[in-house]
Amino acid sequence: MTLRVLLVDDEPAIVDALKKALRRWRDRLEVDGVVGGRAAVRALDEVAYDVVITDARMPEVDGEAVLTFARTRRPATLRLVLSGQVDARTAHRLALIAHQFLPKPTTAPALVAAIDDGQQLLALLADESTRAAVLGQRSLPVPPRVYQRICSLCESQTASLDAVADTVLSEPAIAASVLRLANSAFYGASVEVASVAGAVRILGLARLRELVLVAELFAFDDPLGLLDTLSARCVQRAKAARLLTAGTPLTELASEGALLSEVGVHVLISRDAQAYRLVWDAHARGDGALAALERPVFGTTHGEVGAVLLGLWRLPQALVNVVRYAAEVPGPDALLDARTAVSLVVQAEGEASLGGPSAKTEALAVQLGVAGKLPALWDVLRAPSPLGALSREAA
Amino acid sequence: MHPLLRRQLNRVFKGEPPSSPELRAFIEAVDAAYQGYDTDLQLLERAAALAARETEERYRALQEDIAQRQRAESAREGFFRTSPDMVAVVDQSFRFVERNDGWRRDLGYDNATLDRVSVMSLIHADDRDRVRAEAIRVQAGETSQAFEFRVKHASGAWRWLSVASCRGHDGCFYVVGRDVTEQRRMASELAQSHKLEAVGQLASGVAHEINTPVQYVGDNLDFAADGFKQVFTYLDAAHAVLAPEQRASLADLARTCELDYFRDELPSSLKAARDGVRRVAELVRALKEFAHPDAHEKSDADVNRILERTITLARGETKHVCAVTTSLEATQFVRAHEGSLSQVFLNLIVNAAHAVEEVTSREGRAAEHRISVVTRDEPGAVLVSISDTGCGIPDAIRDRIFEPFFTTKPMGKGTGQGLPLVRRVVTSHGGTLEVDSAPGRGTTFSIRLPCEARSPSGVRRAA
């Protein structure tokens, strides 16, 4: 199957030369080139491209406008930016609307590799409309309360980086966005950053302020009213995962993975809120694990969808894998790592209301060598949810 | 009659005044003399009294005057002594007639030396003519303000003085001087940072302009390489199906067109062009990142990445001198101002190149020299060492290389600000700086930058 690719630049020589350089892959890529944003919008309107690659700085209709149009008109299109020079604010906006940024100049093989990376991730999702939901996801919803808190923290002149990192860690959507920016090539990231504290330190307060205060970078829609519940649950998971891996180098990977373990839920909700309402109600009634209930309805799970989303956002592979497999039971010879630790937490979570771990959970804890931590794990999972604290604060 | 005369007459004549007219006339004459004398005496007495009063008044005024002068003198003494500036009376041969302690304090010489020397002998040779010309202006009655020149500190360092002076008594100069070395350093640093900012803005604009052609030149080269490969594939296939006599008839044309030569050389020449484009791109990126560190606050920085791009930028200084080898093994991050660290590394690499060049320009044998850049993790720190096999630093000036404006380089090549900046930046990052140098063998600068226990748990992305 060939992919349809649209190249956009205001410099005809670039469009022309890049098209020629990509001819080597003509059995896989069918490349169209247009000059300028206006022509790009027309082309996107007419053709369902699989990939759009655009320059950022163009007269009249710029790269951001092209990608914004692409996201609404063609949500299933992979959006790449190929640009030489952007200012910080444009970088922020582009980093959150483009799936990947390639600094200009780049080479044709690097461009093809970027397209392949995206396609490999999307191959995890069989269903076209789920793919569109993931690709079209601009950002994750944030509870307004949390958003306000982080805004005031960022505006304060005395906030320390650690305090900001702690607040970021209290909300999965913000944590994901911060990791996404820190890993974006817009900032010339030379490292993969899996830790929120590390991401906060790499970005620095000035950029975080910029990020947070550009309010449209976050969504506040919450059609099923699940936002607070999901946030609180994932924060609790992160705390539990940190407990299980305390003293190992896995702590941050495990806790950040646990924190992001349910970001995929929001994608499934935006795909079909009504269907998801039924899934959630069944889960809340105790009919089964979320993933098991999602698959028959959506053909996928929030773990897979979340992994594809975070993978497209260029979060480190290790972290993406924790999210992808969080709801799966580790194999009989699995050892303790970030992935299995989070799996244990998710499994135990369902049993927390039952008073004690099941034999299966106990066996897994023994297998991973953390049986001694089970009582403490239970304390964390049965503690009043952080949501209660939030509501009290609001009152 | 005068009472004294009457008493005498009574005693001599027992109350019987002489009746002789001559005697009477004589007595009258004596009386007149007595009277006259008395009058004179009174006048004299009055004059004496007046004089005494006047003397006393004058004396009192003088006393007052002296007290006033003493007060003025004491004030002058006070100002002289407590002034934070260097204050002096200097004679026409520029020796001290009088001076306050500021000179000893700021220039570091003992008083015996200062008593002996001419100030002119302490002034930088390049500044002496200017100072003499200024002295002539002052002698002509003009007042000199904020006149700046270099004076040698007892340590051998040059200090910039800003001096005000006017003509004094007996052809002396009254001089007030102030050490402005630090202000000059800050001003030049500010100018430097403004310059960098301007370069940065320019670089950003130029980068965009250069990157566009670089992008399509590279793509076109790729396309051409692909095309040539296809064309030759076709030619070879066509050649294979030709009849022997057809081949022979084409052989001449193939020779004329240098077909074999093109087949051999085109791939490598296209590859060389591609490499050239890649290097232009690297250079533009390095320049942009160096000149425009976008954050003004510290962030977690990767010294290896900073070093790599600094080496790219310094290539112009190093490539004709000797090879630069790297062994960048540090994995920890440091909290740093990337821009400042870039400047530190650039200074050290350029200095290393100059040190090697000094040797190779005399002895040649560039292949035996190198600049090596090493980074390594140490407990709680990252070590960055930049070594060269150059001329080394003579022991005599080892202690002075970090002084502002100290330079051994010819006019126009060194500003004497590189190493002071290096030390200041390293110190402001809580780091340490060591110099190990053997004259004739080379120099190693070792910088240790602390890294906090909490590092981002990241792995370096493959390039």
Side-chain angles (χ1 to χ4, degrees):
Chain A
M1 184 197 90
T2 60
L3 293 174
R4 298 210 59 175
V5 179
L6 179 66
L7 284 176
V8 188
D9 204 298
D10 61 329
E11 176 68 60
I14 285 191
V15 176
D16 182 58
L18 200 50
K19 236 179 104 171
K20 285 176 178 163
L22 287 171
R23 274 188 64 84
R24 201 190 305 171
W25 291 271
R26 64 187 175 283
D27 54 329
R28 294 202 277 130
L29 306 178
E30 192 183 322
V31 183
D32 290 337
V34 292
V35 175
R38 210 172 282 285
V41 167
R42 263 198 310 275
L44 281 164
D45 191 43
E46 283 165 19
V47 181
Y49 286 102
D50 297 294
V51 184
V52 56
I53 303 167
T54 180
D55 188 16
R57 288 211 309 207
M58 294 187 289
E60 292 181 44
V61 180
D62 64 4
E64 191 192 348
V66 169
L67 294 189
T68 307
F69 179 79
R71 192 175 63 90
T72 29
R73 179 73 178 92
R74 304 285 175 196
T77 303
L78 184 68
R79 303 182 293 274
L80 307 184
V81 170
L82 173 62
S83 173
Q85 184 70 25
V86 286
D87 61 78
R89 182 157 292 226
T90 313
H92 266 104
R93 295 167 173 280
L94 284 172
L96 294 178
I97 194 164
H99 293 114
Q100 236 199 91
F101 171 81
L102 294 139
K104 198 187 267 177
T106 190
T107 61
L111 205 53
V112 173
I115 294 172
D116 286 347
D117 282 353
Q119 291 306 318
Q120 263 166 25
L121 280 164
L122 290 169
L124 277 179
L125 306 173
D127 178 53
E128 177 71 24
S129 60
T130 314
R131 252 189 262 174
V134 175
L135 286 168
Q137 194 80 25
R138 183 182 167 98
S139 56
L140 295 165
V142 179
R145 227 182 356 249
V146 179
Y147 177 73
Q148 277 161 10
R149 190 166 44 170
I150 191 151
C151 277
S152 58
L153 194 58
C154 278
E155 278 174 279
S156 128
Q157 295 302 312
T158 53
S160 75
L161 281 174
D162 286 344
V164 172
D166 285 345
T167 308
V168 171
L169 281 168
S170 73
E171 176 48 45
I174 294 180
S177 294
V178 166
L179 285 170
R180 179 182 183 185
L181 284 182
N183 282 288
S184 161
F186 276 108
Y187 301 111
S190 61
V191 289
E192 293 189 338
V193 193
S195 126
V196 165
V200 165
R201 292 159 61 86
I202 281 178
L203 291 174
L205 272 185
R207 282 190 196 138
L208 282 171
R209 205 169 287 138
E210 184 110 356
L211 159 71
V212 167
L213 299 182
V214 179
E216 71 259 39
L217 299 183
F218 293 102
F220 300 99
D221 51 327
D222 183 19
L224 300 189
L226 289 179
L227 205 46
D228 285 334
T229 314
L230 287 169
S231 285
R233 179 152 103 172
C234 288
V235 168
Q236 197 171 47
R237 281 184 181 183
K239 197 172 167 196
R242 204 172 300 133
L243 170 84
L244 286 183
T245 53
T248 74
L250 309 169
T251 316
E252 284 182 321
L253 192 57
S255 76
E256 262 74 317
L259 187 66
L260 304 182
S261 59
E262 290 190 329
V263 292
V265 169
H266 298 294
V267 181
L268 294 178
I269 290 175
S270 53
R271 202 194 120 186
D272 188 343
Q274 281 187 334
Y276 207 85
R277 158 63 66 199
L278 299 176
V279 168
W280 181 265
D281 287 347
H283 172 65
R285 276 197 308 273
D287 286 359
L290 209 45
L293 296 164
E294 285 163 347
R295 193 173 295 282
V297 180
F298 290 93
T300 183
T301 65
H302 67 268
E304 286 175 357
V305 169
V308 175
L309 183 70
L310 298 178
L312 287 172
W313 288 358
R314 308 281 289 160
L315 265 54
Q317 191 62 42
L319 188 59
V320 170
N321 278 341
V322 175
V323 173
R324 181 173 174 191
Y325 298 109
E328 288 187 16
V329 181
D333 44 8
L335 301 173
L336 181 71
D337 60 22
R339 216 173 99 181
T340 53
V342 176
S343 297
L344 176 58
V345 169
V346 174
Q347 189 175 319
E349 185 182 69
E351 300 164 5
S353 55
L354 305 177
S358 67
K360 208 173 75 182
T361 301
E362 263 180 2
L364 180 58
V366 170
Q367 179 190 331
L368 300 180
V370 291
K373 288 181 175 172
L374 274 183
L377 177 65
W378 239 254
D379 285 346
V380 171
L381 293 178
R382 298 184 65 185
S385 95
L387 186 59
L390 270 182
S391 323
R392 275 198 302 282
E393 200 176 278
Chain B
M1 182 174 291
H2 195 278
L4 267 177
L5 184 61
R6 193 181 309 128
R7 215 159 50 236
Q8 295 291 338
L9 288 179
N10 282 341
R11 195 153 44 87
V12 174
F13 297 104
K14 312 274 192 274
E16 279 305 312
S19 50
S20 134
E22 290 83 1
L23 201 55
R24 201 182 302 274
F26 175 70
I27 288 169
E28 271 168 19
V30 171
D31 184 47
Y34 264 81
Q35 295 287 1
Y37 177 80
D38 256 21
T39 310
D40 281 355
L41 194 66
Q42 273 168 15
L43 272 174
L44 204 63
E45 276 175 350
R46 225 178 12 250
L50 269 172
R53 207 162 58 228
E54 196 169 312
T55 308
E56 203 183 301
E57 271 168 15
R58 287 224 181 133
Y59 177 73
R60 212 174 284 133
L62 201 62
Q63 286 281 338
E64 181 56 30
D65 192 34
I66 288 172
Q68 231 167 47
R69 275 166 197 257
Q70 274 174 345
R71 280 196 295 272
E73 174 63 14
S74 144
R76 192 190 78 97
E77 249 329 290
F79 293 144
F80 205 71
R81 211 176 42 247
T82 59
S83 167
D85 293 331
M86 289 171 263
V87 185
V89 179
V90 176
D91 69 16
Q92 283 175 332
S93 62
F94 298 99
R95 278 170 213 283
F96 289 112
V97 176
E98 210 182 338
R99 66 171 180 274
N100 71 352
D101 196 47
W103 300 86
R104 190 193 58 76
R105 179 194 65 215
D106 287 354
L107 295 180
Y109 299 101
D110 57 25
N111 283 321
T113 311
L114 290 174
D115 286 344
R116 208 173 51 241
V117 298
S118 154
V119 177
M120 191 55 81
S121 69
L122 301 178
I123 293 174
H124 195 286
D126 294 347
D127 294 346
R128 283 182 198 163
D129 287 345
R130 265 189 329 114
V131 175
R132 281 198 198 94
E134 188 74 1
I136 291 166
R137 269 175 19 83
V138 172
Q139 279 303 340
E142 290 186 45
T143 302
S144 168
Q145 291 283 355
F147 181 69
E148 300 192 357
F149 54 86
R150 283 161 289 178
V151 170
K152 192 178 227 165
H153 188 269
S155 67
W158 292 108
R159 310 295 299 176
W160 278 96
L161 298 195
S162 171
V163 165
S165 126
C166 65
R167 190 170 60 183
H169 61 274
D170 302 326
C172 286
F173 301 97
Y174 297 157
V175 177
V176 180
R178 178 176 296 182
D179 186 331
V180 292
T181 316
E182 187 65 10
Q183 283 98 303
R184 282 184 74 105
R185 186 189 62 67
M186 290 192 303
S188 89
E189 213 165 84
L190 195 66
Q192 183 74 8
S193 86
H194 283 162
K195 209 167 14 174
L196 268 182
E197 214 166 283
V199 169
Q201 275 166 8
L202 192 66
S204 301
V206 168
H208 188 71
E209 292 310 309
I210 293 181
N211 282 337
T212 299
V214 162
Q215 176 71 48
Y216 64 74
V217 168
D219 288 337
N220 278 313
L221 286 170
D222 281 351
F223 175 65
D226 286 351
F228 279 117
K229 215 164 83 192
Q230 304 284 54
V231 169
F232 276 105
T233 307
Y234 176 80
L235 282 181
D236 288 347
H239 199 66
V241 299
L242 289 179
E245 65 275 14
Q246 286 172 312
R247 256 182 243 178
S249 72
L250 279 175
D252 275 346
L253 184 59
R255 249 193 311 280
T256 320
C257 295
E258 297 189 287
L259 209 57
D260 287 340
Y261 182 72
F262 280 115
R263 183 203 301 277
D264 291 347
E265 292 299 322
L266 272 174
S268 65
S269 77
L270 286 171
K271 188 175 170 302
R274 198 76 181 82
D275 285 349
V277 169
R278 187 178 49 76
R279 275 177 51 186
V280 171
E282 270 174 21
L283 194 66
V284 170
R285 187 159 53 236
L287 181 67
K288 205 170 71 185
E289 287 178 13
F290 175 83
H292 203 75
D294 47 334
H296 287 287
E297 55 179 329
K298 287 186 182 179
S299 59
D300 282 356
D302 177 355
V303 291
N304 296 350
R305 186 179 151 84
I306 299 175
L307 279 164
E308 277 162 3
R309 87 176 173 232
T310 308
I311 292 167
T312 304
L313 270 189
R315 203 176 284 148
E317 295 281 343
T318 57
K319 71 177 170 196
H320 295 302
V321 178
C322 67
V324 179
T325 62
T326 57
S327 166
L328 307 179
E329 290 170 357
T331 61
Q332 304 178 99
F333 280 55
V334 296
R335 265 198 96 56
H337 289 278
E338 279 210 22
S340 310
L341 276 195
S342 302
Q343 283 192 50
V344 164
F345 298 152
L346 187 66
N347 272 310
L348 292 178
I349 292 169
V350 169
N351 276 354
H354 288 170
V356 173
E357 194 176 18
E358 193 172 320
V359 179
T360 54
S361 64
R362 280 198 315 268
E363 303 170 3
R365 298 205 296 267
E368 292 170 19
H369 289 277
R370 62 195 3 65
I371 296 168
S372 52
V373 179
V374 173
T375 69
R376 207 169 56 220
D377 287 333
E378 288 189 352
V382 167
L383 168 75
V384 177
S385 79
I386 295 172
S387 321
D388 64 71
T389 55
C391 55
I393 304 166
D395 290 337
I397 61 164
R398 183 78 50 83
D399 297 334
R400 302 192 35 207
I401 54 174
F402 295 112
E403 285 169 9
F405 305 109
F406 177 80
T407 179
T408 58
K409 293 177 186 171
M411 220 28 167
K413 201 153 188 192
T415 59
Q417 295 185 65
L419 287 176
L421 176 134
V422 166
R423 184 164 70 176
R424 215 176 38 262
V425 170
V426 170
T427 311
S428 76
H429 282 80
T432 62
L433 175 62
E434 278 171 39
V435 191
D436 185 17
S437 184
R441 289 221 307 278
T443 305
T444 297
F445 283 90
S446 305
I447 297 172
R448 286 183 173 75
L449 296 167
C451 35
E452 292 161 40
R454 206 164 160 191
S455 244
S457 60
V459 291
R460 230 166 272 280
R461 232 191 254 288

